[in-house]
Amino acid sequence: MNPSQKTGLKNKQAARPGSPIILMQGEYMNTAQTQATQDIHAFTEQARDAIYQAIFSRRDVRGQFLPTPVPDAVLSRILTAAHYAPSVGFMQPWNFVVVQSAAVKRRLHDAFALAHAEAADMFDGEKRSTYQRLKLEGILESPIGICITCDRERTGPVVIGRTHMKTMDLYSSVCAVQNLWLAARAEGLGVGWVSIFNQSALQDALAIPKRITPIAYLCVGYVSHFYAKPELESAGWLPRLPIEELVYFDQWGRHDEQQALIGHLRRDQAEAQKTANLALMQSR
Amino acid sequence: MNPSQKTGLKNKQAARPGSPIILMQGEYMNTAQTQATQDIHAFTEQARDAIYQAIFSRRDVRGQFLPTPVPDAVLSRILTAAHYAPSVGFMQPWNFVVVQSAAVKRRLHDAFALAHAEAADMFDGEKRSTYQRLKLEGILESPIGICITCDRERTGPVVIGRTHMKTMDLYSSVCAVQNLWLAARAEGLGVGWVSIFNQSALQDALAIPKRITPIAYLCVGYVSHFYAKPELESAGWLPRLPIEELVYFDQWGRHDEQQALIGHLRRDQAEAQKTANLALMQSR
């Protein structure tokens, strides 16, 4: 450590909002200076908490939809949130088919019912009867359906960032789904992603051309209640995995209990569930 | 409309927090009652604004990373946000390889450089020279890399919701990416998704088994600044599409200028850009 680094003068100067801090690896930086840098772009604690509350209390809603109409102003905001998703090569490959017609919902429900019966046959014994008891969609009960699609040819054959990972355009549309889902949670709207469709039946019900890939059919509406946990977790289908077991360091499979991160992860996973419980209690 | 509906008594009773409102299609519901129902689960206006601010001011960051260390507490929060993504059949198919080693980053950068050169050859003429001038990754400059993966065999061959759309597990891991990205934005962290890799080279650099699908390699770190617009938009590569042209009603291709939603969408897209500009100014 050289004297100029010890005084921290260089760092203090650099920590001025808007001017980048250039430090070499191993250079000294104290906590206060780190804090100053973080504060430039971080949201307020309250605003940050709102983001985490949306993330931790978001649920896949199937059976709690109310017929309360969704105002156009609200529907517009969640669609705009979807449109501001990241997209590979700025393709914006998505479209949004907003479904309000009862006849179209009926066709979609028929398509679901067929696929659902096929799906049940794929499970064995006890899993099959549990599967058949699960409520997996709210197509008819939700006032709004939104089909989010991907037009893989939107900006021509060669797309920046899709040259090697060919599925990046599909992933962009998925990011739009997740943006919409979180915005909807903040608006008090439930969203349920129905994926039990034969693709061609979903395309037929909405007149989607074969060259367009349907990514998600989302049931959207106000709800009587949100559950504190995913329904499949509550039903004992599968447990929430401990996050610290999912995190590796530098190479696949490399755990490191000595890393301070591990303790943080354990605490944060417990906190996440408390946040979800709290969001539920506040709205009752 | 029958008399009991006209008095609204049934609805008032049902609008009590926690008790579901059951209305038949076409039944009467006045605005005040609609409002009461919405308020049960909606976030406060401030909290909602925070969600939209994160969504509209999130950027794909390539060239603005600072070497400022990311505290474990912050890294833990954004990873936990990722772990609370929706997943098909509650598979939670993701892992997170956290990259801090300079040697591993170098291997990743080599893998990028090779794919990047291959990619440049796919563009013609002027597009090629523009492509070559673009800064597309911050692998070496960002203090943290996070590879988010998908283990397609995590919960056996038959997965609820993946019986017909086989890519749903990949999409779950993408939702984890987007959760992490939005949480990071609220923490003041930039994230850049690098997708210009040959999949096997990315797997080799991180010792990821062939049966595991890498979904995203994310560069993560504090930044000198966020741009108000996506870099490809500013560079004139492609424009932001007008959202109202992307929205159809009930059937693919069906526009309806008479829908009040269209006006809302136009206004909200303009507002979204103002929100992004404001977030930028506030942090300077």
Side-chain angles (χ1 to χ4, degrees):
Chain A
M1 188 186 294
N2 71 41
S4 80
Q5 284 157 2
K6 205 167 184 179
T7 62
L9 271 177
K10 181 181 162 196
N11 299 345
K12 270 181 195 152
Q13 188 182 13
R16 209 176 49 214
S19 78
I21 295 180
I22 311 296
L23 287 178
M24 295 299 113
Q25 208 165 16
E27 275 190 319
Y28 173 79
M29 174 174 267
N30 74 29
T31 314
Q33 285 152 1
T34 310
Q35 192 58 45
T37 312
Q38 292 167 33
D39 283 347
I40 299 174
H41 303 296
F43 288 13
T44 63
E45 198 178 331
Q46 256 188 330
R48 233 173 40 194
D49 285 352
I51 311 293
Y52 287 114
Q53 190 174 330
I55 287 172
F56 298 145
S57 68
R58 180 208 50 76
R59 289 290 164 266
D60 190 277
V61 173
R62 296 97 178 261
Q64 301 86 49
F65 287 110
L66 304 174
T68 318
V70 177
D72 285 323
V74 177
L75 181 56
S76 172
R77 287 198 292 268
I78 67 172
L79 287 167
T80 307
H83 186 42
Y84 273 73
S87 67
V88 67
F90 204 45
M91 274 184 84
Q92 308 159 76
W94 41 71
N95 282 89
F96 308 98
V97 185
V98 175
V99 177
Q100 290 168 297
S101 148
V104 173
K105 284 181 191 168
R106 173 57 61 193
R107 284 210 295 277
L108 288 160
H109 191 268
D110 289 349
F112 163 80
L114 200 68
H116 185 50
E118 291 168 357
D121 284 341
M122 301 181 199
F123 292 93
D124 291 326
E126 203 184 319
K127 281 270 175 190
R128 183 184 300 178
S129 40
T130 307
Y131 178 82
Q132 286 169 325
R133 276 196 306 274
L134 293 168
K135 164 85 172 154
L136 294 176
E137 51 72 45
I139 296 169
L140 298 176
E141 307 94 290
S142 55
I144 302 276
I146 301 175
C147 186
I148 300 187
T149 59
C150 180
D151 177 356
R152 311 195 70 175
E153 299 159 14
R154 177 151 295 169
T155 58
V158 186
V159 174
I160 294 188
R162 198 189 59 175
T163 50
H164 292 74
M165 279 184 67
K166 301 298 182 194
T167 48
M168 281 299 291
D169 47 6
L170 304 174
Y171 296 174
S172 300
S173 289
V174 175
C175 289
V177 172
Q178 187 62 3
N179 266 11
L180 183 146
W181 209 333
L182 293 172
R185 180 62 190 87
E187 298 282 1
L189 286 168
V191 171
W193 182 334
V194 186
S195 58
I196 305 170
F197 286 115
N198 287 297
Q199 177 167 303
S200 60
L202 176 56
Q203 287 169 319
D204 289 349
L206 297 174
I208 296 172
K210 296 300 173 198
R211 65 179 179 82
I212 300 292
T213 309
I215 300 294
Y217 184 78
L218 305 173
C219 301
V220 179
Y222 292 105
V223 296
S224 56
H225 56 286
F226 284 99
Y227 286 117
K229 292 183 175 183
E231 293 179 44
L232 290 178
E233 183 180 4
S234 302
W237 187 269
L238 282 170
R240 169 84 64 185
L241 299 174
I243 185 170
E244 68 274 14
E245 296 178 10
L246 303 174
V247 173
Y248 299 135
F249 294 91
D250 285 314
Q251 296 282 283
W252 180 269
R254 190 184 289 171
H255 287 289
D256 185 355
E257 279 290 324
Q258 299 308 307
Q259 291 262 4
L261 180 64
I262 297 298
H264 283 289
L265 289 170
R266 286 205 183 96
R267 284 188 294 275
D268 285 344
Q269 179 154 345
E271 283 301 316
Q273 191 54 59
K274 281 187 210 159
T275 302
N277 297 346
L278 192 67
L280 198 75
M281 282 166 53
Q282 281 171 341
S283 64
R284 290 239 160 189
Chain B
M1 189 186 293
N2 70 41
S4 79
Q5 285 157 357
K6 206 168 183 178
T7 63
L9 271 177
K10 181 180 164 194
N11 298 344
K12 269 179 196 153
Q13 188 182 13
R16 209 176 47 213
S19 78
I21 296 180
I22 312 295
L23 287 178
M24 295 298 115
Q25 207 166 13
E27 276 191 317
Y28 173 78
M29 174 174 269
N30 74 29
T31 314
Q33 285 152 2
T34 309
Q35 193 57 46
T37 313
Q38 290 167 35
D39 284 347
I40 299 174
H41 303 296
F43 287 13
T44 63
E45 196 177 333
Q46 257 187 331
R48 232 174 41 194
D49 285 351
I51 311 294
Y52 287 114
Q53 190 173 331
I55 288 172
F56 298 146
S57 68
R58 181 208 50 76
R59 289 290 163 267
D60 190 276
V61 173
R62 297 99 178 261
Q64 301 86 48
F65 287 109
L66 303 175
T68 317
V70 178
D72 286 323
V74 177
L75 181 56
S76 172
R77 287 197 293 266
I78 66 172
L79 287 167
T80 306
H83 186 42
Y84 273 75
S87 66
V88 67
F90 204 46
M91 275 184 83
Q92 308 158 77
W94 41 71
N95 283 89
F96 308 97
V97 185
V98 175
V99 176
Q100 290 169 299
S101 148
V104 173
K105 284 181 192 168
R106 173 57 61 191
R107 284 210 296 277
L108 287 160
H109 191 268
D110 289 349
F112 163 80
L114 200 68
H116 185 50
E118 291 169 356
D121 285 342
M122 300 181 199
F123 292 93
D124 292 327
E126 202 185 321
K127 281 271 176 192
R128 183 184 300 178
S129 41
T130 307
Y131 178 81
Q132 285 169 327
R133 277 197 304 274
L134 293 169
K135 165 84 171 155
L136 294 176
E137 52 71 45
I139 296 168
L140 298 175
E141 306 94 290
S142 55
I144 302 278
I146 301 176
C147 186
I148 300 187
T149 58
C150 179
D151 177 355
R152 310 194 69 176
E153 299 160 14
R154 177 150 294 167
T155 58
V158 186
V159 174
I160 293 188
R162 198 190 58 176
T163 49
H164 292 74
M165 280 185 65
K166 301 299 182 193
T167 48
M168 281 299 292
D169 46 7
L170 304 174
Y171 296 174
S172 301
S173 289
V174 175
C175 289
V177 172
Q178 187 63 3
N179 266 11
L180 184 145
W181 209 333
L182 293 172
R185 180 62 192 86
E187 298 281 2
L189 287 168
V191 171
W193 182 334
V194 186
S195 58
I196 304 171
F197 286 116
N198 286 296
Q199 176 166 303
S200 60
L202 176 56
Q203 287 170 319
D204 288 349
L206 297 174
I208 296 172
K210 295 298 172 200
R211 64 179 180 82
I212 301 292
T213 308
I215 299 294
Y217 185 79
L218 304 173
C219 301
V220 178
Y222 293 106
V223 295
S224 56
H225 56 286
F226 284 100
Y227 286 117
K229 293 183 175 183
E231 292 179 44
L232 290 179
E233 183 181 3
S234 302
W237 187 270
L238 282 170
R240 168 86 61 186
L241 299 174
I243 185 171
E244 68 274 16
E245 295 178 11
L246 303 174
V247 174
Y248 299 136
F249 293 91
D250 285 313
Q251 296 283 284
W252 180 270
R254 190 183 292 171
H255 287 289
D256 184 356
E257 279 290 325
Q258 300 307 309
Q259 291 261 3
L261 180 65
I262 297 299
H264 283 290
L265 289 170
R266 285 204 183 96
R267 284 189 292 277
D268 285 344
Q269 178 152 346
E271 283 301 317
Q273 191 53 57
K274 281 188 209 158
T275 302
N277 297 346
L278 192 67
L280 198 74
M281 281 167 54
Q282 280 170 341
S283 64
R284 291 239 161 188

